[in-house]
Coordinates of all heavy atoms in Angstrom, one line a residue:
G59 N 134.6 -36.2 -22.4 CA 134.7 -37.1 -21.3 C 135.6 -36.7 -20.2 O 136.2 -35.6 -20.2
V60 N 135.8 -37.6 -19.2 CA 136.7 -37.2 -18.1 C 138.0 -37.9 -18.1 O 138.9 -37.7 -17.3 CB 136.0 -37.4 -16.7 CG1 134.9 -36.5 -16.5 CG2 135.6 -38.9 -16.6
K61 N 138.2 -38.8 -19.1 CA 139.4 -39.7 -19.1 C 140.5 -39.0 -19.9 O 141.7 -39.1 -19.4 CB 139.1 -41.0 -19.7 CG 140.3 -42.0 -19.5 CD 139.9 -43.4 -19.7 CE 141.1 -44.3 -19.7 NZ 140.9 -45.7 -20.0
A62 N 140.2 -38.4 -21.0 CA 141.3 -37.9 -21.9 C 141.0 -36.6 -22.4 O 139.9 -36.3 -22.9 CB 141.6 -38.9 -23.0
F63 N 142.0 -35.7 -22.4 CA 142.0 -34.5 -23.3 C 142.3 -35.0 -24.7 O 141.3 -35.1 -25.5 CB 143.1 -33.6 -22.8 CG 143.4 -32.4 -23.6 CD1 142.5 -31.3 -23.7 CD2 144.6 -32.3 -24.4 CE1 142.8 -30.2 -24.5 CE2 144.9 -31.2 -25.1 CZ 143.9 -30.1 -25.2
I64 N 143.5 -35.5 -25.0 CA 143.8 -36.1 -26.2 C 145.0 -37.0 -25.9 O 146.0 -36.5 -25.4 CB 144.2 -35.1 -27.3 CG1 143.0 -34.2 -27.7 CG2 144.8 -35.8 -28.6 CD1 143.4 -32.9 -28.5
A65 N 144.9 -38.3 -26.2 CA 145.9 -39.3 -25.8 C 147.0 -39.4 -26.9 O 147.7 -40.4 -26.9 CB 145.3 -40.6 -25.5
G66 N 147.1 -38.5 -27.8 CA 148.1 -38.5 -28.8 C 147.6 -38.6 -30.2 O 146.4 -38.6 -30.5
A67 N 148.6 -38.6 -31.1 CA 148.3 -38.9 -32.5 C 147.8 -40.3 -32.6 O 148.1 -41.1 -31.7 CB 149.5 -38.7 -33.4
D68 N 147.0 -40.6 -33.6 CA 146.4 -42.0 -33.7 C 147.5 -42.9 -34.1 O 148.0 -42.9 -35.3 CB 145.2 -42.0 -34.7 CG 144.5 -43.3 -34.6 OD1 145.2 -44.4 -34.4 OD2 143.3 -43.3 -34.8
I69 N 147.9 -43.8 -33.2 CA 149.1 -44.7 -33.5 C 148.8 -45.6 -34.6 O 149.7 -46.0 -35.4 CB 149.4 -45.5 -32.2 CG1 149.9 -44.5 -31.1 CG2 150.5 -46.5 -32.4 CD1 150.0 -45.0 -29.7
A70 N 147.5 -45.9 -34.9 CA 147.2 -46.8 -36.0 C 147.6 -46.2 -37.3 O 147.7 -47.0 -38.3 CB 145.7 -47.1 -35.9
E71 N 147.7 -44.9 -37.4 CA 148.0 -44.3 -38.7 C 149.5 -44.2 -39.0 O 149.9 -43.7 -40.0 CB 147.4 -42.8 -38.7 CG 145.9 -42.9 -38.8 CD 145.2 -41.5 -39.0 OE1 145.9 -40.5 -39.0 OE2 144.0 -41.5 -39.3
F72 N 150.3 -44.7 -38.1 CA 151.8 -44.7 -38.3 C 152.3 -45.9 -39.2 O 153.3 -45.8 -39.7 CB 152.6 -44.7 -37.0 CG 152.4 -43.5 -36.1 CD1 152.5 -43.6 -34.7 CD2 152.2 -42.3 -36.7 CE1 152.3 -42.5 -34.0 CE2 152.0 -41.1 -35.9 CZ 152.1 -41.2 -34.5
A73 N 151.4 -46.9 -39.2 CA 151.9 -48.2 -39.8 C 152.3 -48.0 -41.3 O 151.5 -47.4 -42.1 CB 150.8 -49.2 -39.8
G74 N 153.5 -48.4 -41.6 CA 153.9 -48.4 -43.0 C 154.3 -47.1 -43.6 O 154.5 -47.0 -44.8
L75 N 154.5 -46.1 -42.8 CA 154.9 -44.8 -43.3 C 156.4 -44.8 -43.8 O 157.2 -45.3 -43.0 CB 154.7 -43.6 -42.3 CG 153.3 -43.2 -41.9 CD1 153.4 -42.0 -40.9 CD2 152.5 -42.8 -43.1
S76 N 156.7 -44.4 -45.0 CA 158.1 -44.2 -45.4 C 158.6 -43.0 -44.7 O 157.9 -42.2 -44.1 CB 158.1 -44.1 -46.9 OG 157.6 -42.9 -47.3
A77 N 159.9 -42.8 -44.9 CA 160.6 -41.6 -44.3 C 159.9 -40.3 -44.9 O 159.6 -39.4 -44.2 CB 162.1 -41.6 -44.6
V78 N 159.7 -40.3 -46.2 CA 159.1 -39.1 -46.8 C 157.7 -38.9 -46.3 O 157.3 -37.8 -46.0 CB 159.1 -39.3 -48.4 CG1 158.3 -38.2 -49.1 CG2 160.6 -39.3 -48.9
E79 N 156.9 -40.0 -46.2 CA 155.5 -39.9 -45.8 C 155.5 -39.4 -44.3 O 154.7 -38.6 -43.9 CB 154.8 -41.2 -45.9 CG 154.5 -41.5 -47.4 CD 154.1 -43.0 -47.6 OE1 154.4 -43.9 -46.7 OE2 153.6 -43.3 -48.6
G80 N 156.4 -40.0 -43.5 CA 156.5 -39.6 -42.1 C 156.8 -38.1 -41.9 O 156.2 -37.4 -41.1
E81 N 157.7 -37.6 -42.8 CA 158.1 -36.2 -42.7 C 156.8 -35.3 -43.1 O 156.5 -34.3 -42.4 CB 159.2 -35.8 -43.6 CG 159.6 -34.4 -43.5 CD 160.8 -34.0 -44.3 OE1 161.4 -34.8 -44.9 OE2 161.1 -32.8 -44.4
R82 N 156.1 -35.8 -44.1 CA 154.9 -35.0 -44.6 C 153.9 -35.0 -43.5 O 153.3 -34.0 -43.2 CB 154.4 -35.6 -45.9 CG 153.3 -34.7 -46.5 CD 152.7 -35.3 -47.8 NE 153.7 -35.8 -48.7 CZ 153.7 -37.0 -49.3 NH1 152.8 -37.9 -49.0 NH2 154.7 -37.3 -50.1
F83 N 153.7 -36.2 -42.8 CA 152.7 -36.4 -41.7 C 153.0 -35.3 -40.6 O 152.2 -34.6 -40.1 CB 152.9 -37.8 -41.2 CG 152.0 -38.1 -40.0 CD1 150.8 -38.7 -40.2 CD2 152.5 -37.9 -38.7 CE1 150.0 -39.0 -39.0 CE2 151.8 -38.2 -37.6 CZ 150.5 -38.8 -37.8
S84 N 154.3 -35.3 -40.3 CA 154.7 -34.4 -39.2 C 154.5 -32.9 -39.6 O 154.0 -32.1 -38.9 CB 156.2 -34.6 -38.9 OG 156.7 -33.7 -38.1
R85 N 154.9 -32.6 -40.8 CA 154.8 -31.2 -41.3 C 153.3 -30.7 -41.4 O 153.0 -29.6 -41.0 CB 155.4 -31.0 -42.7 CG 156.9 -31.2 -42.7 CD 157.7 -30.2 -42.0 NE 157.7 -28.9 -42.6 CZ 158.3 -27.8 -42.0 NH1 158.9 -27.9 -40.9 NH2 158.2 -26.6 -42.7
Q86 N 152.5 -31.7 -41.8 CA 151.0 -31.3 -41.9 C 150.4 -31.0 -40.6 O 149.7 -30.1 -40.3 CB 150.3 -32.4 -42.7 CG 150.5 -32.4 -44.2 CD 149.9 -33.6 -44.9 OE1 149.6 -34.6 -44.3 NE2 149.9 -33.5 -46.2
G87 N 150.8 -31.9 -39.6 CA 150.3 -31.7 -38.2 C 150.8 -30.4 -37.6 O 150.1 -29.6 -37.0
Q88 N 152.1 -30.2 -37.8 CA 152.8 -29.0 -37.3 C 152.1 -27.7 -37.8 O 151.9 -26.8 -37.1 CB 154.2 -28.9 -37.7 CG 155.2 -29.9 -37.0 CD 156.6 -29.9 -37.5 OE1 156.9 -29.2 -38.5 NE2 157.5 -30.6 -36.9
A89 N 151.7 -27.8 -39.1 CA 151.1 -26.6 -39.7 C 149.7 -26.3 -39.0 O 149.3 -25.1 -38.8 CB 150.9 -26.8 -41.2
V90 N 148.9 -27.4 -38.8 CA 147.6 -27.2 -38.1 C 147.8 -26.7 -36.7 O 147.1 -25.8 -36.2 CB 146.8 -28.5 -38.2 CG1 145.5 -28.3 -37.4 CG2 146.5 -28.9 -39.6
F91 N 148.8 -27.2 -36.0 CA 149.0 -26.8 -34.6 C 149.4 -25.4 -34.6 O 149.1 -24.6 -33.7 CB 150.1 -27.7 -34.0 CG 149.6 -29.1 -33.6 CD1 148.6 -29.7 -34.2 CD2 150.2 -29.8 -32.5 CE1 148.1 -31.0 -33.9 CE2 149.8 -31.0 -32.1 CZ 148.7 -31.6 -32.8
R92 N 150.2 -25.0 -35.6 CA 150.7 -23.6 -35.7 C 149.5 -22.6 -35.8 O 149.6 -21.5 -35.4 CB 151.7 -23.5 -36.8 CG 152.4 -22.2 -36.9 CD 153.6 -22.2 -36.0 NE 154.3 -20.9 -36.2 CZ 154.7 -20.1 -35.3 NH1 154.5 -20.4 -34.0 NH2 155.4 -19.0 -35.6
Q93 N 148.4 -23.1 -36.5 CA 147.2 -22.2 -36.7 C 146.7 -21.8 -35.3 O 146.3 -20.7 -35.2 CB 146.1 -23.0 -37.4 CG 146.2 -23.2 -38.9 CD 145.0 -24.0 -39.4 OE1 145.1 -25.2 -39.5 NE2 143.9 -23.3 -39.7
L94 N 146.7 -22.8 -34.4 CA 146.2 -22.4 -33.0 C 147.2 -21.4 -32.4 O 146.7 -20.4 -31.8 CB 146.1 -23.7 -32.2 CG 145.8 -23.5 -30.7 CD1 144.5 -22.8 -30.4 CD2 145.9 -24.9 -30.0
E95 N 148.4 -21.7 -32.5 CA 149.4 -20.8 -31.8 C 149.4 -19.4 -32.4 O 149.6 -18.4 -31.7 CB 150.8 -21.5 -32.0 CG 151.9 -20.8 -31.2 CD 153.2 -21.6 -31.3 OE1 153.6 -22.0 -32.4 OE2 153.7 -21.9 -30.2
A96 N 149.1 -19.3 -33.7 CA 149.2 -18.1 -34.4 C 147.9 -17.3 -34.4 O 147.9 -16.2 -35.0 CB 149.7 -18.3 -35.8
L97 N 146.9 -17.8 -33.8 CA 145.6 -17.0 -33.7 C 145.9 -15.7 -33.0 O 146.6 -15.8 -32.0 CB 144.6 -17.8 -32.9 CG 143.9 -19.0 -33.4 CD1 143.0 -19.6 -32.3 CD2 143.0 -18.7 -34.6
R98 N 145.4 -14.7 -33.5 CA 145.7 -13.4 -32.7 C 144.6 -13.3 -31.7 O 144.1 -12.2 -31.4 CB 145.8 -12.2 -33.7 CG 147.0 -12.4 -34.6 CD 147.2 -11.2 -35.4 NE 148.1 -10.2 -34.8 CZ 147.8 -8.9 -34.7 NH1 146.7 -8.5 -35.0 NH2 148.8 -8.2 -34.1
K99 N 144.1 -14.4 -31.1 CA 143.1 -14.4 -30.1 C 143.5 -15.3 -29.0 O 144.2 -16.4 -29.3 CB 141.8 -14.9 -30.7 CG 141.3 -14.0 -31.9 CD 140.0 -14.6 -32.5 CE 139.7 -13.7 -33.7 NZ 138.4 -14.0 -34.4
P100 N 143.2 -15.0 -27.7 CA 143.7 -15.9 -26.6 C 143.0 -17.2 -26.6 O 141.8 -17.3 -26.9 CB 143.4 -15.1 -25.4 CG 142.3 -14.1 -25.8 CD 142.5 -13.8 -27.2
S101 N 143.8 -18.3 -26.2 CA 143.2 -19.6 -26.2 C 143.6 -20.3 -24.9 O 144.7 -20.0 -24.3 CB 143.6 -20.4 -27.4 OG 145.0 -20.5 -27.4
V102 N 142.8 -21.2 -24.4 CA 143.1 -22.0 -23.3 C 142.9 -23.5 -23.6 O 141.9 -23.9 -24.2 CB 142.1 -21.7 -22.1 CG1 142.5 -22.6 -20.9 CG2 142.1 -20.3 -21.7
A103 N 143.9 -24.3 -23.3 CA 143.7 -25.8 -23.4 C 143.2 -26.2 -22.0 O 143.9 -26.0 -21.0 CB 145.0 -26.5 -23.7
A104 N 142.0 -26.7 -22.0 CA 141.4 -27.2 -20.7 C 141.6 -28.7 -20.7 O 140.9 -29.5 -21.3 CB 139.9 -26.8 -20.7
I105 N 142.6 -29.1 -19.9 CA 143.1 -30.4 -20.0 C 142.4 -31.3 -19.0 O 142.7 -31.3 -17.8 CB 144.7 -30.4 -19.7 CG1 145.4 -29.6 -20.8 CG2 145.2 -31.9 -19.8 CD1 146.8 -29.4 -20.6
N106 N 141.5 -32.1 -19.5 CA 140.5 -32.8 -18.6 C 141.0 -34.2 -18.3 O 140.3 -35.0 -17.6 CB 139.1 -32.8 -19.3 CG 139.2 -33.3 -20.7 OD1 140.0 -32.8 -21.5 ND2 138.4 -34.3 -21.1
G107 N 142.1 -34.7 -18.8 CA 142.6 -36.1 -18.6 C 143.9 -36.2 -19.3 O 144.7 -35.3 -19.3
F108 N 144.1 -37.4 -19.9 CA 145.4 -37.7 -20.5 C 145.7 -36.6 -21.6 O 144.9 -36.4 -22.5 CB 145.5 -39.0 -21.2 CG 145.5 -40.2 -20.2 CD1 144.4 -41.1 -20.1 CD2 146.7 -40.4 -19.5 CE1 144.5 -42.1 -19.2 CE2 146.7 -41.5 -18.6 CZ 145.7 -42.3 -18.4
A109 N 146.8 -36.0 -21.5 CA 147.3 -35.1 -22.6 C 148.7 -35.6 -23.0 O 149.7 -35.3 -22.3 CB 147.4 -33.6 -22.2
L110 N 148.7 -36.6 -23.9 CA 149.9 -37.3 -24.2 C 150.3 -37.0 -25.7 O 149.4 -36.8 -26.5 CB 149.7 -38.8 -24.0 CG 149.3 -39.2 -22.6 CD1 149.0 -40.7 -22.6 CD2 150.4 -38.8 -21.6
G111 N 151.6 -37.1 -26.0 CA 152.0 -37.0 -27.4 C 151.4 -35.7 -28.0 O 151.5 -34.6 -27.5
G112 N 150.8 -36.0 -29.2 CA 150.1 -34.9 -29.9 C 149.1 -34.1 -29.1 O 148.9 -32.9 -29.4
G113 N 148.6 -34.7 -28.1 CA 147.6 -34.0 -27.2 C 148.3 -32.9 -26.4 O 147.9 -31.7 -26.4
L114 N 149.5 -33.3 -25.8 CA 150.3 -32.2 -25.1 C 150.9 -31.2 -26.1 O 150.9 -30.0 -25.8 CB 151.3 -32.9 -24.3 CG 152.2 -32.0 -23.5 CD1 151.4 -31.0 -22.6 CD2 153.3 -32.7 -22.6
E115 N 151.3 -31.7 -27.2 CA 151.9 -30.8 -28.3 C 150.8 -29.8 -28.7 O 151.1 -28.6 -28.9 CB 152.4 -31.6 -29.4 CG 153.6 -32.4 -29.1 CD 154.1 -33.4 -30.2 OE1 153.3 -34.3 -30.6 OE2 155.2 -33.2 -30.7
L116 N 149.6 -30.2 -28.8 CA 148.5 -29.3 -29.2 C 148.3 -28.3 -28.1 O 148.1 -27.1 -28.3 CB 147.2 -30.0 -29.6 CG 146.1 -29.2 -30.1 CD1 146.5 -28.5 -31.4 CD2 144.9 -30.1 -30.4
A117 N 148.2 -28.8 -26.8 CA 147.9 -28.0 -25.7 C 149.0 -26.9 -25.5 O 148.8 -25.8 -25.1 CB 147.9 -28.8 -24.4
M118 N 150.3 -27.3 -25.9 CA 151.4 -26.3 -25.8 C 151.2 -25.2 -26.8 O 151.9 -24.2 -26.7 CB 152.7 -27.0 -26.0 CG 153.1 -27.9 -24.7 SD 154.8 -28.4 -24.7 CE 154.8 -29.7 -26.0
C119 N 150.4 -25.3 -27.8 CA 150.1 -24.2 -28.8 C 149.1 -23.2 -28.3 O 148.9 -22.2 -28.9 CB 149.7 -24.8 -30.1 SG 151.0 -25.7 -30.9
A120 N 148.3 -23.6 -27.2 CA 147.3 -22.7 -26.7 C 148.1 -21.6 -25.9 O 149.2 -21.8 -25.5 CB 146.4 -23.4 -25.8
T121 N 147.4 -20.5 -25.7 CA 148.0 -19.4 -25.0 C 148.4 -19.8 -23.5 O 149.5 -19.5 -23.0 CB 147.1 -18.1 -24.9 OG1 146.5 -17.9 -26.2 CG2 147.8 -16.9 -24.5
I122 N 147.4 -20.4 -22.8 CA 147.7 -21.0 -21.5 C 147.0 -22.4 -21.4 O 146.2 -22.8 -22.2 CB 147.2 -20.1 -20.3 CG1 145.7 -20.1 -20.2 CG2 147.8 -18.7 -20.4 CD1 145.2 -19.6 -18.9
R123 N 147.4 -23.1 -20.3 CA 146.9 -24.5 -20.1 C 146.4 -24.5 -18.7 O 147.1 -24.1 -17.7 CB 148.0 -25.5 -20.2 CG 148.4 -25.8 -21.7 CD 149.9 -26.1 -21.8 NE 150.7 -25.0 -21.6 CZ 150.8 -23.9 -22.4 NH1 150.2 -23.9 -23.5 NH2 151.5 -22.9 -22.0
I124 N 145.2 -25.0 -18.5 CA 144.6 -25.3 -17.2 C 144.3 -26.8 -17.1 O 143.7 -27.3 -18.1 CB 143.4 -24.4 -16.9 CG1 143.7 -22.9 -17.1 CG2 142.8 -24.7 -15.6 CD1 142.5 -22.0 -16.8

Side-chain angles (χ1 to χ4, degrees):
V60 291
K61 188 165 175 185
F63 170 71
I64 294 168
D68 191 325
I69 296 167
E71 293 190 346
F72 294 150
L75 290 184
S76 68
V78 171
E79 288 162 344
E81 182 179 354
R82 191 182 310 131
F83 176 94
S84 171
R85 296 293 291 175
Q86 284 170 345
Q88 286 174 355
V90 174
F91 284 29
R92 188 84 176 129
Q93 280 180 269
L94 170 61
E95 189 170 51
L97 285 177
R98 295 184 93 232
K99 301 178 185 185
S101 58
V102 181
I105 301 174
N106 51 307
F108 288 112
L110 302 176
L114 179 55
E115 290 172 300
L116 186 59
M118 287 193 287
C119 293
T121 315
I122 70 162
R123 284 146 293 287
I124 301 180

